[in-house]
Amino acid sequence: MTGPNQTGRLEVQPDVAAFVAAVRARLADLTDEEREELLGGLEADLSERLAEGEADLGDPAAYAAELRAAAGLDVRTGRGLRGRLAPVSRTPLHLEVVGLLDAGRRRVDKEVGSRPWATEAWRLVVAVRPAWWVLRAWLAVELLDRVVGPAEYLTVMPSLGNQVVGGVLLLAAVVGSVLVGTGRLWPGSHEGTDPVRRLALLLLNLVGVVVVLPVVLDGFPGAYDSHALANGEIYANASSGYGGSGLRVDGHFVRNVFAYDAEGNPLPGVQLYDQKGRPLEVSQDPYLGSYRSSGARVHTYPWFNGDQKLFNVFPLPVREQRGDQPVRDAWVTTRPPALPRPPLAVVPPAVLPTPPAPEPQVTPSPSASVSPTGPASPSRRPSTRPSGRPSARPSPSTDSEKPRSR
Amino acid sequence: MDTTQLLKGVLDLAVLAVVDDDDGYGYDVVRRLRAGGLDDVGDASVYGTLRRLYAQGALTSYVVPSDEGPHRKYYGITASGRSQLKRQREDWDRFSRTVSTLLATVGTTTERGTR
């Protein structure tokens, strides 16, 4: 019951309306009739008091107590059937909560009012309140995106896997949030309304700032990542020296390798070694393990030989996840890593030139490379320069290797 | 002495007397009480009292619409209110006379005793 009472009209000064609402909240345990009887004409009277130059209406709690005492209506009289049927709204806790909230509000008002700079700042804060309404709507949608959306970094415009869905949801959330902010939608509140609403709103706003905001911000790529994302590759520039050793193509680290047989069909589980028998490993730097694959962000995980991680067996299993670090127990989670779908379903078959004279033994030449033509695959002749130091064997330095591989 | 305690006992009477003099809305009654010398009277006490007297049937109320601001709720006295006023006025007269007499007598006694 927050509407204007029958004897009040709306062109009442806002502080008078707030004061009456606050008093009304403290009379919540009375019947409607009793309450309206007490409050009827109060707005007019208070307005008159203010008009006469009275600066302050005082404490609504004390006012309500005085009103009650004089009217012979004690708190929690429990009179009548109504009282027994609706005990919830009559608990002293209910009134206590209202009192606490109001006291907090009054305290802020007082503190703010006593300092000119704070008054000015507070006015500004109140003025930009609608910005918070929009922000919290955006936070809610981003949170939804983070929780149920695809395992991808969050974007400023929430996508939820579909730009239209994200946009529509954001719009709806903003409208809802503004309605709540203006008190038109539950739990919109102001001084004097039901304490449950006020508490609910207070709590939601608090959770929004303290919990949701960090969670959502954490879902965005860091500044470092953003820079790399803008450049198309994360930490993939070999010249930066970052990422240590690993397979590279044209200066970029190779994240995963897809092998096809001579007929052009994908080969899962291929172990690669170079001409000296050294494993051809991709970089083991965890930050290089994540990349985008068909719209989602995936992270690579190695094959195993016993406890030994093998980064030269391809394709590396991948797992959809947001973070750019491998998850420690990824294999025992509900979504273990799985072999990714090759970027190309099939590639053109490859054949060796058939020599006119029948030769029983054909020595495979390294130059007979499979060269798929799809744009997504490393189609150029890979200049594989394994500079990784497999634990087992020593290998020559990268520099001495370079001229030979070209 | 805290006059608010004294006031409590006679607020019904005072409010009835003011409203009997002329109908009034809440703050108007407060103002007239203050003008009459009851400076300490709290408006919430007066409103509460008006409400209680109304609930007892001593007062009637009616709403006067206003073009400028909120409507005003006026109170007027009823026949039952008038008889209550009459009764309480007599009670008060008797009581105040008694107390005054008592104070005067005790005062003279004390004076005599100190001589």
Side-chain angles (χ1 to χ4, degrees):
Chain A
M1 272 152 293
T2 53
N5 60 58
Q6 304 93 315
T7 54
R9 296 227 314 227
L10 282 176
E11 54 272 35
V12 172
Q13 294 187 44
D15 35 353
V16 168
F19 186 89
V20 172
V23 172
R24 186 190 303 275
R26 279 176 190 73
L27 304 176
D29 58 311
L30 303 179
T31 65
D32 295 354
E33 200 189 336
E34 286 168 337
R35 194 167 46 246
E36 293 317 316
E37 179 58 39
L38 275 177
L39 296 175
L42 187 57
E43 284 169 346
D45 289 338
L46 293 174
S47 300
E48 193 168 338
R49 261 175 73 190
L50 285 182
E52 281 186 355
E54 204 160 324
D56 188 15
L57 291 174
D59 178 14
Y63 193 93
E66 192 182 334
L67 205 54
R68 265 174 191 283
L73 297 166
D74 290 335
V75 183
R76 270 196 4 119
T77 46
R79 292 174 302 107
L81 194 60
R82 264 181 80 95
R84 263 164 256 138
L85 284 178
V88 180
S89 64
R90 289 172 183 255
T91 54
L93 179 69
H94 162 101
L95 293 174
E96 242 165 65
V97 167
V98 171
L100 275 176
L101 291 173
D102 285 358
R105 178 65 204 260
R106 267 198 308 282
R107 197 177 162 150
V108 168
D109 285 349
K110 202 176 135 210
E111 294 290 320
V112 163
S114 62
R115 296 170 183 79
W117 63 268
T119 314
E120 210 46 48
W122 185 249
R123 200 169 298 154
L124 195 70
V125 166
V126 171
V128 299
R129 210 159 42 156
W132 163 243
W133 298 342
V134 173
L135 178 65
R136 69 181 174 194
W138 176 80
L139 278 177
V141 180
E142 290 286 358
L143 180 69
L144 188 72
D145 191 6
R146 176 110 210 235
V147 172
V148 305
E152 184 50 71
Y153 283 125
L154 295 178
T155 46
V156 175
M157 182 71 187
S159 70
L160 284 129
N162 179 331
Q163 231 24 275
V164 177
V165 171
V168 168
L169 269 176
L170 182 61
L171 196 69
V174 166
V175 169
S177 173
V178 168
L179 285 179
V180 168
T182 53
R184 276 160 221 245
L185 199 70
W186 198 94
S189 77
H190 48 81
E191 196 167 347
T193 48
D194 176 18
V196 176
R197 290 164 58 137
R198 294 173 67 180
L199 277 181
L201 194 62
L202 195 64
L203 220 66
L204 280 173
N205 277 334
L206 214 62
V207 166
V209 173
V210 177
V211 181
V212 180
L213 188 63
V215 165
V216 164
L217 289 186
D218 187 50
F220 281 92
Y224 210 58
D225 299 338
S226 305
H227 178 71
L229 277 177
N231 292 341
E233 287 286 342
I234 296 183
Y235 314 121
N237 195 345
S239 63
S240 73
Y242 191 86
S245 56
L247 277 175
R248 298 176 200 191
V249 175
D250 288 353
H252 290 296
F253 282 98
V254 172
R255 315 297 185 77
N256 213 342
V257 173
F258 294 88
Y260 295 79
D261 63 14
E263 266 117 64
N265 298 312
L267 278 178
V270 175
Q271 306 194 45
L272 296 185
Y273 290 86
D274 75 354
Q275 70 281 356
K276 288 191 174 172
R278 292 168 302 195
L280 281 177
E281 294 180 318
V282 294
S283 173
Q284 298 184 25
D285 190 300
Y287 286 104
L288 289 175
S290 84
Y291 63 93
R292 287 175 79 114
S293 166
S294 56
R297 179 156 298 278
V298 296
H299 203 282
T300 54
Y301 288 82
W303 291 63
F304 279 88
N305 177 5
D307 280 346
Q308 199 191 349
K309 294 176 176 174
L310 302 176
F311 283 92
N312 70 323
V313 188
F314 299 102
L316 294 172
V318 298
R319 182 173 183 273
E320 271 195 23
Q321 60 186 59
R322 282 181 199 279
D324 41 21
Q325 290 279 346
V327 176
R328 201 132 56 97
D329 301 316
W331 289 98
V332 294
T333 60
T334 50
R335 287 188 301 110
L339 290 185
R341 194 208 300 263
L344 303 164
V346 289
V347 296
V351 290
L352 290 170
T354 323
E359 263 184 57
Q361 215 65 352
V362 176
T363 314
S365 134
S367 66
S369 62
V370 178
S371 57
T373 50
S377 68
S379 59
R380 269 163 289 191
R381 210 180 317 130
S383 63
T384 53
R385 295 184 285 119
S387 45
R389 296 289 97 84
S391 49
R393 60 197 91 211
S395 64
S397 78
T398 327
D399 291 342
S400 63
E401 190 84 354
K402 204 185 273 170
R404 264 183 283 161
S405 67
R406 286 275 149 130
Chain B
M1 181 173 203
D2 187 3
T3 50
T4 52
Q5 288 302 317
L6 284 177
L7 202 54
K8 248 182 209 165
V10 296
L11 197 52
D12 283 19
L13 175 60
V15 166
L16 281 173
V18 165
V19 176
D20 182 45
D21 188 43
D22 191 12
D23 290 3
Y25 53 89
Y27 191 58
D28 176 45
V29 173
V30 174
R31 213 156 31 195
R32 278 150 65 192
L33 285 169
R34 287 182 182 159
L38 298 178
D39 302 324
D40 292 340
V41 74
D43 52 341
S45 299
V46 174
Y47 297 148
T49 303
L50 284 169
R51 189 264 158 202
R52 189 163 35 76
L53 291 173
Y54 170 79
Q56 288 168 4
L59 298 177
T60 59
S61 83
Y62 53 97
V63 170
V64 176
S66 155
D67 288 338
E68 291 132 36
H71 300 326
R72 298 226 175 269
K73 186 173 187 174
Y74 276 76
Y75 288 93
I77 199 159
T78 61
S80 132
R82 262 192 207 96
S83 63
Q84 186 178 334
L85 173 61
K86 186 167 174 286
R87 210 166 48 245
Q88 288 193 354
R89 199 196 286 273
E90 289 163 8
D91 286 350
W92 170 253
D93 284 346
R94 198 163 43 245
F95 180 72
S96 59
R97 233 183 355 256
T98 309
V99 173
S100 299
T101 313
L102 174 80
L103 291 177
T105 323
V106 172
T108 16
T109 317
T110 318
E111 267 171 57
R112 245 187 249 139
T114 50
R115 264 186 201 161

